[in-house]
Amino acid sequence: MPDLVACPKCRYKNKPDRLACGMCGEVLVPKAHEPAEAPAPADGGEPASAPAPARKPVGAAFLVCSPYPPFRLPDDREITIGRENDNDFVLPAKIVSRTHASVYWAGDGWAIRDRGSSNGTFLNDHPVETAYVKHGDHLKIGTFELQFHESPDGSIPSPKLPESGEDSDKRERTVAVELNPAFRTGISGHLKDMSLPQLLQSLEAEKKTGTLLLSVPTGVLRPDGHLEFLEKWDEAEIGFKGGRIVASKFGTKQDAESIFTIFQRAKGAFRFDPKRVPAIPTFSFTVQEVLLEHMRRLDEAAKK
């Protein structure tokens, strides 16, 4: 009996010659076009150091997800991808599961597997549980698009920055991360995908302690009133203790007023460092108190 084809939407088992699901009408992908299923890691469970693979990969492999720097994949262990800080590759968005997926060397090729995520892992637009990946393949996790890159000589891929005017939003957040070496490690993201108020509220809800580092592209006001971003950055810091804001720094300012200066320049990239604990708290505010004061100042400015 020929193998039945499971519908990617409702999982109904269809005959292999059907072009659409007999239950829900979803278009079916022919077996020949589906990603090849890969073997699960040896332990079949939590990521850990795997036994020596049958053979080593040639060169190096990377996950590329702009604006983050390319992530080099180790061939001796399984790396995890998810929104929690303890993952190897962190994608800070609620649509991404805590531990969403993982990538590993399967002995005869690189492979990806879904870790029981809520919204699925997609390889070249196909939902997968475990599958081989090859150079040029596209992965989609939540709203993030990643490219799998293999480099025979081990060279690091250099994603091309969009030209000015081509995609100003993408260029703005890419420049903010790529130009500042401090943002090449740690838990980071960009404020185009998560606004500063949302980010602060998230840190408060999780009662975080540490320092939020912000890399903001330096802007020059053009005669036409638009802000032009330069090839350099300004740095800012907001200190947290138990979810409360206890310190802030922007340029020469190191008081509560600097928080509102940061709000005015809230574009670019961020990185939260839990190991960088504010030494001496200079004040203590809830995020709600800061946001309410920020809104009050906006209202006053609009009336002038």
Side-chain angles (χ1 to χ4, degrees):
M1 181 177 179
D3 292 337
L4 299 178
V5 178
C7 172
K9 184 176 182 180
C10 70
R11 311 309 297 173
Y12 178 75
K13 301 290 186 179
N14 295 271
K15 291 182 178 180
D17 59 348
R18 290 192 65 91
L19 298 179
C21 177
M23 180 65 69
C24 68
E26 180 77 2
V27 175
L28 299 176
V29 180
K31 277 282 186 182
H33 297 165
E34 291 182 351
E37 185 174 347
D43 61 4
E46 294 303 314
S49 295
R55 64 178 176 84
K56 290 284 187 179
V58 177
F62 300 84
L63 290 179
V64 181
C65 181
S66 180
Y68 305 113
F71 180 90
R72 183 166 183 158
L73 297 168
D75 60 20
D76 59 349
R77 67 181 181 90
E78 183 178 14
I79 67 101
T80 59
I81 305 170
R83 74 167 188 266
E84 288 288 290
N85 293 354
D86 57 358
N87 287 286
D88 297 283
F89 197 113
V90 178
L91 299 176
K94 290 183 178 180
I95 196 172
V96 177
S97 295
R98 290 182 174 86
T99 300
H100 196 109
S102 57
V103 179
Y104 58 96
W105 175 249
D108 56 351
W110 291 98
I112 186 168
R113 69 164 173 144
D114 184 80
R115 301 293 297 269
S117 67
S118 300
N119 296 298
T121 299
F122 293 81
L123 172 59
N124 298 328
D125 296 325
H126 301 308
V128 295
E129 293 182 0
T130 304
Y132 285 107
V133 290
K134 61 183 185 302
H135 178 72
D137 279 348
H138 289 270
L139 308 172
K140 188 169 184 180
I141 296 177
T143 57
F144 294 89
E145 293 187 3
L146 302 85
Q147 185 179 42
F148 181 76
H149 181 96
E150 286 185 286
S151 175
D153 61 0
S155 60
I156 301 174
S158 299
K160 173 181 173 292
L161 288 177
E163 297 296 330
S164 181
E166 177 185 336
D167 184 343
S168 60
D169 284 350
K170 184 176 181 181
R171 178 176 177 79
E172 177 184 314
R173 61 180 182 252
T174 304
V175 167
V177 175
E178 290 296 327
L179 294 182
N180 191 341
F183 279 72
R184 294 182 180 275
T185 59
I187 309 309
S188 60
H190 38 76
L191 297 174
K192 281 293 180 183
D193 294 329
M194 177 180 285
S195 69
L196 183 56
Q198 290 175 324
L199 179 57
L200 296 180
Q201 289 172 329
S202 176
L203 294 173
E204 180 183 49
E206 297 180 12
K207 300 186 184 302
K208 292 290 188 182
T209 294
T211 299
L212 177 65
L213 306 171
L214 296 129
S215 181
V216 184
T218 301
V220 175
L221 196 64
R222 299 193 312 224
D224 61 4
H226 289 85
L227 196 63
E228 180 179 353
F229 290 99
L230 305 180
E231 300 285 309
K232 57 181 180 178
W233 62 91
D234 295 326
E235 296 181 359
E237 301 178 6
I238 300 177
F240 279 81
K241 188 171 183 179
R244 294 179 69 91
I245 299 176
V246 296
S248 181
K249 178 183 178 182
F250 186 83
T252 58
K253 295 182 179 180
Q254 298 190 43
D255 52 18
E257 282 299 312
S258 64
I259 299 177
F260 303 107
T261 305
I262 294 172
F263 268 106
Q264 296 170 6
R265 301 284 303 280
K267 295 182 179 180
F270 69 84
R271 178 168 70 91
F272 184 75
D273 187 351
K275 296 181 180 180
R276 192 166 174 173
V277 180
I280 304 176
T282 54
F283 47 79
S284 181
F285 297 124
T286 65
V287 170
Q288 184 178 12
E289 289 171 339
V290 171
L291 294 180
L292 288 174
E293 175 62 17
H294 174 58
M295 294 302 297
R296 185 188 68 79
R297 295 187 182 205
L298 290 178
D299 289 340
E300 286 188 356
K303 294 175 181 177
K304 293 181 180 180

